[in-house]
Amino acid sequence: MTIIFNNKIPYIEGVNLNELVTQVPTPFYVYSQKNILDAYNEIKNKLKKKIFYSIKANSNQAIIAFISSLGAGVDVVSIEEMQRAISAGVDPRKIIYEGVGKSQSNIIDAIKQNIRQINVESFEELLLIDTIGKNIDKKISIGLRLNPDIDSDSHEKISTGKKTDKFGIGFDQFPKICSLIKSLNNIHLKGISCHIGSQIFDLQIFENTIAKMKKSIEKLSSHNLNINHLNLGGGFGVSYDNGG
């Protein structure tokens, strides 16, 4: 977002900021709708896939509503984020519920909303969802979050893809989770995902992640399990040095 000065008066996308502060109580945030639109269209055109906006990035209701109006779904990590998404007009069928430590009541609330998918992080969560589905006579769409045991080479506090991190189901547990899924009657496996961390600058790390996730798809196939999508998580780095 660029501030342009005209006769020493600051403007953003033609809006006079000096006039804006007389209409809106300060302090406030100013967001560029054009920048959001341009970024969304660029990602959409390059990936040619469905886009799911992570609400934890910015839970501003206006931004959620705008991105939803463009056709995007959302990714939430709490029941509160889910409520914000629905309040902003997001179709529940475009909501993916992620996150560790989901409570039984949270899972039930998500199922009642008929959301698109719940991403499972553990054996215990998988069994809980199946039990809930059995109790209400409903098959629940799920995804599996896997832990590929890959170092994102970023700060240890934001690493989420190593074996020692608390996120996801380890690859060494994969045969066991496949067998368990086949034995459960009230879940429908739709996809797999991973997230190895943020501030990643080395593209080789992403290549290694893709290679490992492809192997997981082969393992699924060997257990006669098929998926519709693969979600590769991890944030590209942004340099905050030298004005970057």
Side-chain angles (χ1 to χ4, degrees):
M1 183 168 60
T2 303
I3 297 178
I4 296 175
F5 288 86
N6 187 0
N7 294 324
K8 298 184 178 181
I9 298 173
Y11 289 82
I12 293 179
E13 294 182 19
V15 176
N16 184 322
L17 295 188
N18 288 349
E19 292 181 359
L20 188 60
V21 298
T22 67
Q23 302 168 20
V24 181
T26 59
F28 59 80
Y29 288 99
V30 176
Y31 299 100
S32 169
Q33 179 172 301
K34 181 179 184 302
N35 278 12
I36 294 171
L37 176 62
D38 289 347
Y40 177 84
N41 285 335
E42 181 178 7
I43 294 172
K44 183 73 175 177
N45 291 335
K46 286 184 177 179
L47 296 181
K48 301 188 186 303
K49 300 294 181 181
K50 294 176 181 177
I51 306 297
F52 290 82
Y53 172 67
S54 179
I55 288 184
K56 66 183 177 183
N58 190 326
S59 61
N60 182 293
Q61 294 290 89
I63 290 177
I64 297 171
F66 177 59
I67 293 177
S68 175
S69 74
L70 300 177
V74 299
D75 176 293
V76 304
V77 295
S78 70
I79 206 68
E80 290 77 17
E81 287 188 355
M82 185 180 302
Q83 291 165 350
R84 289 185 71 82
I86 293 171
S87 296
V90 178
D91 184 343
R93 293 171 297 179
K94 290 185 175 182
I95 296 176
I96 296 175
Y97 187 11
E98 306 261 10
V100 297
K102 306 180 191 74
S103 69
Q104 179 172 323
S105 61
N106 288 166
I107 292 171
I108 291 173
D109 286 345
I111 292 171
K112 286 181 177 178
Q113 291 290 346
N114 291 314
I115 67 169
R116 179 187 183 91
Q117 179 177 304
I118 299 174
N119 279 357
V120 175
E121 301 248 1
S122 68
F123 283 83
E124 294 78 9
E125 185 181 345
L126 180 62
L127 290 169
L128 176 59
I129 293 173
D130 184 70
T131 299
I132 294 171
K134 182 178 180 180
N135 291 339
I136 63 175
D137 192 26
K138 184 174 182 177
K139 206 160 192 175
I140 315 302
S141 293
I142 68 155
L144 289 180
R145 177 173 177 175
L146 304 179
N147 185 320
D149 192 22
I150 289 178
D151 190 347
S152 62
D153 196 26
S154 57
H155 195 282
E156 63 178 9
K157 298 297 184 183
I158 55 175
S159 172
T160 57
K162 292 188 293 184
K163 189 175 182 179
T164 52
D165 295 327
K166 64 182 179 181
F167 303 95
I169 298 167
F171 268 56
D172 57 338
Q173 298 175 303
F174 204 57
K176 182 180 176 181
I177 199 77
C178 288
S179 296
L180 179 59
I181 288 172
K182 293 194 70 175
S183 71
L184 302 177
N185 297 318
N186 292 94
I187 61 166
H188 181 197
L189 179 62
K190 303 281 285 186
I192 57 174
S193 67
C194 69
H195 191 290
I196 60 172
S198 302
Q199 285 296 90
I200 301 168
F201 291 92
D202 185 356
L203 291 180
Q204 184 62 50
I205 292 173
F206 288 106
E207 292 181 14
N208 295 341
T209 302
I210 292 171
K212 236 180 179 181
M213 295 301 284
K214 285 178 68 177
K215 288 183 180 179
S216 71
I217 296 174
E218 294 171 1
K219 289 183 179 180
L220 283 171
S221 296
S222 70
H223 286 81
N224 295 318
L225 292 170
N226 298 308
I227 59 173
N228 297 328
H229 58 264
L230 168 64
N231 183 342
L232 295 168
F236 287 104
V238 176
S239 174
Y240 295 99
D241 299 325
N242 302 319

